Amino acid sequence: MGIKFQQKYKVPYYETEISGKMKLPTIFNVALQVSGEQSTVLERSDEYVKSLGLTWIVTEYLVELTRLPSFNEEIIIETEATSYNKFFCYRRFTFKDEKGDILLTIDSTWCLINTETRKPAHVPDEIVAPYESEKVRTIKRTEKIPALENYRHKTYQVRYLDLDINQHVNNSKYLDWMFDSLDYDFLATHQVETLHLKYVKEVYYGTNIESRNKKDGLKTWHEIFSNELNAQAVIEWRKNEI
Amino acid sequence: MGIKFQQKYKVPYYETEISGKMKLPTIFNVALQVSGEQSTVLERSDEYVKSLGLTWIVTEYLVELTRLPSFNEEIIIETEATSYNKFFCYRRFTFKDEKGDILLTIDSTWCLINTETRKPAHVPDEIVAPYESEKVRTIKRTEKIPALENYRHKTYQVRYLDLDINQHVNNSKYLDWMFDSLDYDFLATHQVETLHLKYVKEVYYGTNIESRNKKDGLKTWHEIFSNELNAQAVIEWRKNEI
């Protein structure tokens, strides 16, 4: 396991949804900011990585959620680079309450791409060494998410402010679109229990995307689709206690 | 003038646009969070105000902008309730860089509404006393924004995650829609110099809104329109230095 890095965070009102709980897409943003802070401390900032002609992308998230943080709650966000192989780096995020009880965990998969060709690159030891994560031979295989048939869908425009400093659509937007394609009443009365999200292909500004979903009881399947498949997810939900 | 309240803030990557500068809609969010913190310190939190059957709404913003904060920049956000009369409270926000130089100012106008009737209420002295702002007789009159004719427009759906803990569309979304109705090339090469934004009527979930704009050189006029006028703005822009 790698070096652990922690930051405190207080949930502002504008990152909450109507229930007063923190929005899940925002949780990804905050998590990635914390890993960025660790990288800066370890002298492996995005600028450093870019100076080698490379950039990080997240390919996959696995979330297990006990409870979402609430408005004004002071939480602890812990992260560590757990292991890596030739192609992928694995990083865990743990969100804890003030007492140290776990609110949620995110297991994320990252790869490096060449900034010019946008093709995957091997992970150089010099980039990952300071994190002290374990080098492994095996590539983690996660469950395959089946292509959707007989889905419902909603269409979205990619907006100018969906793009961030990395010049592409902010990662969290895909989940925004997925959530929003579900009914208001379902969203207002249910909470995510587990989430498996795969990024397949970047969405570009100027395109319209279809957010497709299929629902079976407390399980939903999602696709973000433009001219091609951009992202997929499976979510297990539980009903809110009243 | 009232009691001043300050907080430090470090700009995270997910609040930046492609230029690496902080998004203006997000600046409103962060500003309002800081005024909320001051209210909590002064024992005038939103919960307290709600216990009196009232809630705050912002009716108007006037922004003067020298420079937007950048990614990772550590800034100081200062706020004070400057004055109030029977119907309105006036609050200023000043964003400063680390050296104390002013980046931007926001003059905001607030009123209280009855949570049940949604009608404006008089400002009770007991709510505003702790801020030590000056009681004045006059109501500030700002420039009237003319109704748009021969406008261009883009249509947007109100999304579930546009709603925040206050159960209504987050204030910053109106500006999101206004910006997004302009061309990519214009947004990527220009920066706001002054902004005058008026909230007229709340937008509700489930409605589609039209973001209308008209442009004349470095000035743009905006309307958010559903079945009625929801918000208006005038923005003066300047070209980015290259």
Side-chain angles (χ1 to χ4, degrees):
Chain A
M1 300 300 249
I3 296 175
K4 285 187 178 157
F5 182 82
Q6 275 196 348
Q7 269 196 352
K8 286 192 179 176
Y9 191 74
K10 192 174 170 190
V11 182
Y13 85 95
Y14 54 86
E15 288 177 356
T16 57
E17 46 173 286
I18 51 168
S19 64
K21 303 283 183 191
M22 196 167 170
K23 300 177 191 181
L24 195 50
T26 310
I27 283 175
F28 288 144
N29 277 334
V30 173
L32 259 55
Q33 175 68 20
V34 173
S35 70
E37 304 271 357
Q38 180 182 34
S39 296
T40 302
V41 168
L42 298 177
E43 297 181 349
R44 289 298 177 271
S45 69
D46 284 350
E47 286 71 49
Y48 170 83
V49 175
K50 270 177 195 146
S51 75
L52 303 173
L54 300 170
T55 192
W56 287 111
I57 59 166
V58 177
T59 60
E60 213 159 335
Y61 283 124
L62 275 163
V63 181
E64 296 206 6
L65 213 156
T66 306
R67 175 173 76 74
L68 283 167
S70 300
F71 168 57
N72 254 338
E73 186 170 357
E74 298 201 33
I75 59 171
I76 300 152
I77 303 165
E78 187 179 272
T79 186
E80 62 177 310
T82 47
S83 63
Y84 73 103
N85 53 45
K86 212 169 169 181
F87 296 105
F88 297 103
C89 293
Y90 303 103
R91 174 177 282 280
R92 168 166 271 222
F93 299 94
T94 310
F95 283 55
K96 298 176 183 175
D97 67 14
E98 258 184 320
K99 287 186 286 178
D101 289 335
I102 293 175
L103 298 170
L104 64 104
T105 58
I106 306 173
D107 283 303
S108 57
T109 305
W110 302 61
C111 76
L112 285 163
I113 58 167
N114 183 300
T115 43
E116 280 187 17
T117 64
R118 309 299 286 175
K119 290 203 173 135
H122 283 188
V123 177
D125 285 336
E126 62 184 295
I127 288 188
V128 292
Y131 300 96
E132 296 183 14
S133 63
E134 192 190 354
K135 188 165 188 171
V136 292
R137 284 187 155 274
T138 49
I139 290 177
K140 288 187 193 178
R141 302 286 171 195
T142 53
E143 220 171 308
K144 214 181 157 190
I145 304 177
L148 290 190
E149 287 172 19
N150 305 321
Y151 48 81
R152 301 191 320 158
H153 78 276
K154 243 170 134 173
T155 305
Y156 298 88
Q157 305 159 336
V158 178
R159 301 180 188 172
Y160 182 76
L161 290 179
D162 291 343
L163 310 173
D164 67 26
I165 190 173
N166 301 312
Q167 323 283 323
H168 63 211
V169 173
N170 179 279
N171 273 351
S172 71
K173 296 294 161 190
Y174 297 73
L175 192 56
D176 261 353
W177 295 321
M178 288 174 178
F179 275 16
D180 196 62
S181 72
L182 299 169
D183 294 334
Y184 181 97
D185 288 343
F186 182 79
L187 290 167
T189 52
H190 292 78
Q191 175 188 307
V192 170
E193 196 162 71
T194 68
L195 164 73
H196 180 197
L197 174 59
K198 280 189 193 192
Y199 296 101
V200 181
K201 197 102 189 165
E202 257 179 67
V203 169
Y204 294 101
Y205 178 80
T207 50
N208 280 347
I209 66 96
E210 262 188 19
S211 178
R212 302 173 171 178
N213 76 64
K214 199 170 169 171
K215 190 165 160 287
D216 183 11
L218 292 173
K219 201 164 177 178
T220 57
W221 290 261
H222 300 264
E223 278 177 5
I224 302 300
F225 206 94
S226 53
N227 303 316
E228 56 195 346
L229 180 66
N230 298 102
Q232 295 179 292
V234 189
I235 309 178
E236 291 178 303
W237 303 81
R238 71 164 160 266
K239 217 170 161 11
N240 291 337
E241 287 160 30
I242 302 160
Chain B
M1 303 298 249
I3 294 175
K4 285 187 179 160
F5 182 82
Q6 276 196 345
Q7 269 195 351
K8 285 191 180 177
Y9 191 74
K10 192 175 168 189
V11 182
Y13 86 94
Y14 55 86
E15 288 177 357
T16 58
E17 46 173 287
I18 51 167
S19 64
K21 303 284 182 190
M22 196 168 169
K23 300 178 192 183
L24 196 49
T26 310
I27 283 175
F28 289 143
N29 278 334
V30 174
L32 259 56
Q33 175 68 20
V34 174
S35 71
E37 303 272 356
Q38 180 183 32
S39 296
T40 302
V41 168
L42 297 177
E43 297 180 348
R44 290 297 177 271
S45 69
D46 285 349
E47 286 71 49
Y48 169 83
V49 175
K50 270 177 195 145
S51 75
L52 303 173
L54 301 169
T55 191
W56 287 111
I57 59 165
V58 177
T59 60
E60 212 159 336
Y61 283 125
L62 275 163
V63 181
E64 295 206 7
L65 211 157
T66 306
R67 175 173 76 74
L68 284 166
S70 300
F71 169 57
N72 253 338
E73 186 170 356
E74 298 201 31
I75 59 171
I76 299 152
I77 302 166
E78 188 179 272
T79 187
E80 62 177 309
T82 46
S83 64
Y84 72 102
N85 53 45
K86 213 169 169 180
F87 296 104
F88 297 103
C89 294
Y90 303 103
R91 176 178 283 279
R92 169 165 271 223
F93 298 93
T94 310
F95 283 56
K96 298 176 183 175
D97 67 14
E98 257 184 322
K99 286 185 289 177
D101 289 335
I102 293 175
L103 298 169
L104 64 104
T105 57
I106 306 172
D107 283 303
S108 57
T109 305
W110 302 62
C111 77
L112 284 163
I113 58 168
N114 183 299
T115 42
E116 280 187 17
T117 64
R118 309 299 285 177
K119 290 205 172 134
H122 283 189
V123 177
D125 286 335
E126 63 184 294
I127 286 188
V128 292
Y131 299 96
E132 296 183 14
S133 63
E134 192 190 353
K135 188 165 188 171
V136 292
R137 283 187 155 273
T138 48
I139 289 178
K140 288 187 193 178
R141 302 286 172 196
T142 54
E143 219 171 308
K144 212 178 159 195
I145 305 176
L148 290 190
E149 289 172 16
N150 304 321
Y151 49 80
R152 302 191 318 159
H153 78 277
K154 244 170 132 173
T155 305
Y156 298 88
Q157 306 159 336
V158 178
R159 301 179 187 173
Y160 182 77
L161 289 180
D162 291 343
L163 310 173
D164 66 26
I165 188 173
N166 301 313
Q167 322 283 322
H168 63 210
V169 172
N170 179 279
N171 272 352
S172 72
K173 295 294 162 192
Y174 297 72
L175 191 56
D176 260 353
W177 295 322
M178 288 176 179
F179 275 15
D180 197 62
S181 73
L182 299 169
D183 295 333
Y184 180 98
D185 288 342
F186 183 80
L187 290 167
T189 52
H190 291 78
Q191 175 186 306
V192 171
E193 197 162 71
T194 68
L195 164 72
H196 180 197
L197 174 58
K198 280 188 193 193
Y199 296 101
V200 180
K201 198 107 188 159
E202 256 178 70
V203 170
Y204 294 101
Y205 178 80
T207 51
N208 279 348
I209 66 96
E210 262 188 21
S211 177
R212 302 173 172 179
N213 77 63
K214 199 170 169 172
K215 190 165 160 286
D216 183 11
L218 292 174
K219 201 164 177 179
T220 56
W221 290 262
H222 300 265
E223 278 177 7
I224 301 301
F225 206 94
S226 51
N227 303 317
E228 56 195 344
L229 180 66
N230 299 102
Q232 294 179 293
V234 189
I235 309 179
E236 292 179 302
W237 302 82
R238 72 162 158 268
K239 216 168 162 11
N240 292 337
E241 287 160 31
I242 303 157

